[in-house]
Amino acid sequence: MSHTMVPALKSGANQLGTVFHPSMGKSPSVAILSTFPPTQCGLATFAAALAGGLQDVGVTNVGIIPVIDSPVIHTDSRVVAQLHPESLQSRVEVARCVNSFDYLVIQHEFGIFGGNDGDDLLALLEDVFVPTIVTLHTVPLLPSDGQRHVLETLARRADVLIAMSDAARARFVELYDVDSQKVLTIPHGATVPPPAELPHGGPVSLLTWGLLGPGKGVEWVIDALAMAPELRGKVTYTVAGETHPKVFQRQGEQYRNMLKRRAEYLGVEDMVYFDNQYRSVQELLELIQKFHCVVLPYDSHDQITSGVLVDAVVAGRPVIATEFPHAVELTARGVGLVVPHKDPVSMAHAIRQVVNQPRILSAMANATVPIAAEHSWTSVASKYAYIGLALTHSE
């Protein structure tokens, strides 16, 4: 079968403006290869939401192929196979299953597909004969030789590669040997809740959420609060989320306990709250909208895509973030403040701004409104569906 190039790629455009609509004809079937719930990670959450979004826009046949560490009994009828990393038999069976669909979407992250830097995925793709879209969740700034080999080989093999921010696309095209015409930017999707005003009255409430572990940067916010004693009674900080399962397996609650000791030692334990409750997407959105501002104090300089950042903005909440690429790109539109990494002095200054200048907080909240629609799962999934339609259309 010959394939029609996606018009945006043919014209050299980076952004995909066209979206899929059922009036374009019968939607091609799609297989999605990724981690998937009940696995708890950002990749699994993304894959589940994308699958739902594709169905919402009219893609009637969506097959899920979860990547699993150990056998899992799935009750989701969309699960059509499971990939066991390191298993040749599993790879062959998954490739056979993928080839029964019209095209494949891979959610790519290093370390989940088996082999060195996940290079077993490349072996699997040798037996896949349908058009392939790869969503890039990580584009290392300083890749290892193995990471570079995997990404550049994927780029040659894939028909389309999706970056989820302009910063991610620019890094991928500039630092790797790839065909830039294959690479599109489609933003990270998010569930858009009904609009909710910022909370009225009381102290300004700050929230950090997500799977907890070293590198989250929560300690720098605790240090910042200790540097702003005049804000006692005017601000609270909540850290919500369970410890990352892989971190818990290796270290237990060591990181969370360190944070609690740090807050107590610095005398701010009455300002810092820990909440390790698991929440559904709907419950999480309700939680976010109870707060004034979301803080993303991550240590990594490398993060080109952040689902937490997108979720905060589409929920209408301003952000304070360290200057990782995705945060710099999104806050340039007025939705938040960026601070240097591991810099509690700058973090304290940013917190003072949102506490002492309510107009800044309101202006940043207002700036989130036009961004929300762009990141809805319906908008994002319709673009994936259009690419799939274009790739599988016979000339």
Side-chain angles (χ1 to χ4, degrees):
M1 177 186 293
S2 60
H3 307 301
T4 301
M5 180 176 282
V6 178
L9 299 179
K10 187 185 294 184
S11 66
N14 300 340
Q15 298 279 352
L16 183 66
T18 309
V19 298
F20 175 78
H21 189 274
S23 64
M24 294 178 176
K26 186 178 183 298
S27 63
S29 60
V30 56
I32 298 176
L33 178 62
S34 173
T35 55
F36 197 74
T39 297
Q40 295 181 22
C41 69
L43 207 68
T45 302
F46 185 101
L50 177 61
L54 287 167
Q55 291 178 304
D56 288 343
V57 301
V59 179
T60 56
N61 188 355
V62 177
I64 308 297
I65 304 175
V67 183
I68 59 173
D69 292 326
S70 57
V72 176
I73 298 176
H74 281 276
T75 58
D76 192 321
S77 62
R78 298 172 298 178
V79 174
V80 293
Q82 297 183 83
L83 177 62
H84 301 256
E86 316 287 353
S87 168
L88 173 60
Q89 179 182 351
S90 176
R91 292 204 304 269
V92 172
E93 291 174 350
V94 165
R96 184 184 300 120
C97 179
V98 166
N99 288 329
S100 69
F101 287 81
D102 292 317
Y103 69 103
L104 169 66
V105 174
I106 299 171
Q107 301 304 315
H108 182 264
E109 182 65 90
F110 296 103
I112 69 169
F113 291 106
N116 296 322
D117 294 309
D119 64 358
D120 280 357
L121 173 63
L122 305 179
L124 185 156
L125 288 176
E126 291 178 4
D127 295 324
V128 169
F129 304 108
V130 296
T132 300
I133 300 168
V134 176
T135 306
L136 303 167
H137 286 261
T138 300
V139 182
L141 182 62
L142 298 171
S144 66
D145 290 343
Q147 288 174 331
R148 179 178 292 279
H149 168 70
V150 167
L151 281 187
E152 292 182 347
T153 305
L154 272 179
R156 288 192 295 272
R157 171 62 182 79
D159 295 84
V160 176
L161 300 111
I162 305 298
M164 289 184 281
S165 66
D166 289 334
R169 184 186 185 280
R171 177 185 294 183
F172 190 50
V173 169
E174 291 169 9
L175 301 184
Y176 293 79
D177 182 13
V178 300
D179 179 355
S180 63
Q181 290 192 337
K182 284 187 174 185
V183 189
L184 283 175
T185 300
I186 298 178
H188 193 297
T191 300
V192 182
E197 294 183 355
L198 294 175
H200 296 287
V204 171
S205 49
L206 309 177
L207 171 68
T208 293
W209 90 87
L211 295 173
L212 197 60
K216 200 75 172 182
V218 172
E219 57 267 40
W220 312 117
V221 187
I222 292 173
D223 290 358
L225 292 174
M227 293 178 175
E230 78 280 7
L231 298 183
R232 186 176 299 276
K234 297 181 180 179
V235 63
T236 64
Y237 179 46
T238 297
V239 181
E242 299 174 298
T243 295
H244 194 290
K246 291 186 177 180
V247 173
F248 184 80
Q249 187 177 18
R250 296 192 307 267
Q251 303 174 5
E253 294 289 1
Q254 183 176 334
Y255 181 67
R256 186 187 304 271
N257 292 335
M258 179 276 290
L259 296 173
K260 291 180 178 178
R261 289 193 301 270
R262 196 181 192 111
E264 183 176 359
Y265 174 75
L266 294 174
V268 294
E269 69 274 15
D270 60 331
M271 302 168 70
V272 183
Y273 303 90
F274 291 89
D275 176 356
N276 63 353
Q277 178 182 341
Y278 173 79
R279 289 176 170 84
S280 66
V281 172
Q282 185 58 42
E283 290 169 337
L284 180 59
L285 292 173
E286 292 172 359
L287 175 72
I288 297 169
Q289 292 187 326
K290 292 178 181 177
F291 287 80
H292 290 88
C293 183
V294 172
V295 184
L296 298 88
Y298 306 156
D299 289 347
S300 174
H301 294 251
D302 215 16
Q303 194 158 359
I304 42 81
T305 302
S306 170
V308 171
L309 172 63
V310 172
D311 284 340
V313 172
V314 302
R317 293 302 172 260
V319 299
I320 299 172
T322 47
E323 50 191 3
F324 57 89
H326 197 191
V328 171
E329 182 174 314
L330 212 53
T331 56
R333 300 177 65 177
V335 300
L337 306 171
V338 291
V339 300
H341 294 271
K342 302 181 180 181
D343 186 343
V345 174
S346 296
M347 179 65 72
H349 177 66
I351 293 172
R352 286 188 179 99
Q353 284 184 272
V354 300
V355 173
N356 294 328
Q357 301 180 56
R359 285 180 293 180
I360 289 181
L361 201 62
S362 296
M364 291 192 298
N366 290 336
T368 66
V369 175
I371 297 176
E374 300 170 18
H375 289 81
S376 73
W377 279 114
T378 300
S379 173
V380 168
S382 64
K383 293 179 179 181
Y384 277 85
Y386 175 75
I387 294 173
L389 182 66
L391 289 176
T392 56
H393 184 270
S394 298
E395 291 184 336

